[in-house]
Amino acid sequence: MLSHHDRTELEKIERHLEVTDPDLATALREGKRPKSRALRSAFLIVVDVVAVTLLVLGLVLPDPGVTLCGILALTGTVWTHVARHRL
């Protein structure tokens, strides 16, 4: 059995985990695995490739609309990546 000190330390860790990552705390409490982010990551990679392709095509072709779409798409993907890493 755990000592009183060990139990209090585990309770502190549990409270900290509840505050910082409630999804992980719930998954650990219920014994479920957290949701996989593989599909979301794969989708973001595809959007990144499409944005870069649009930008390159816009720079090669004399079409400012494609360039603008590429710049906007690339800006959106950068914001998405920054927001993901802040969480």
Side-chain angles (χ1 to χ4, degrees):
M1 200 73 203
L2 296 174
S3 68
H4 177 68
H5 175 70
D6 291 341
R7 282 191 300 253
T8 56
E9 290 298 315
L10 284 174
E11 288 171 1
K12 287 180 189 177
I13 293 170
E14 182 180 0
R15 284 191 298 265
H16 177 71
L17 189 61
E18 283 285 339
V19 171
T20 58
D21 195 355
D23 293 335
L24 179 61
T26 303
L28 290 174
R29 188 179 318 109
E30 295 175 359
K32 296 179 183 175
R33 294 173 53 172
K35 294 179 182 177
S36 174
R37 296 184 181 178
L39 183 61
R40 185 182 309 164
S41 296
F43 178 71
L44 283 177
I45 290 171
V46 168
V47 171
D48 291 343
V49 170
V50 169
V52 169
T53 304
L54 278 174
L55 184 61
V56 170
L57 279 175
L59 293 174
V60 171
L61 300 175
D63 189 1
V66 177
T67 306
L68 181 63
C69 287
I71 290 171
L72 292 175
L74 204 54
T75 304
T77 58
V78 168
W79 281 350
T80 304
H81 286 289
V82 169
R84 266 183 80 195
H85 290 292
R86 282 190 181 171
L87 297 178

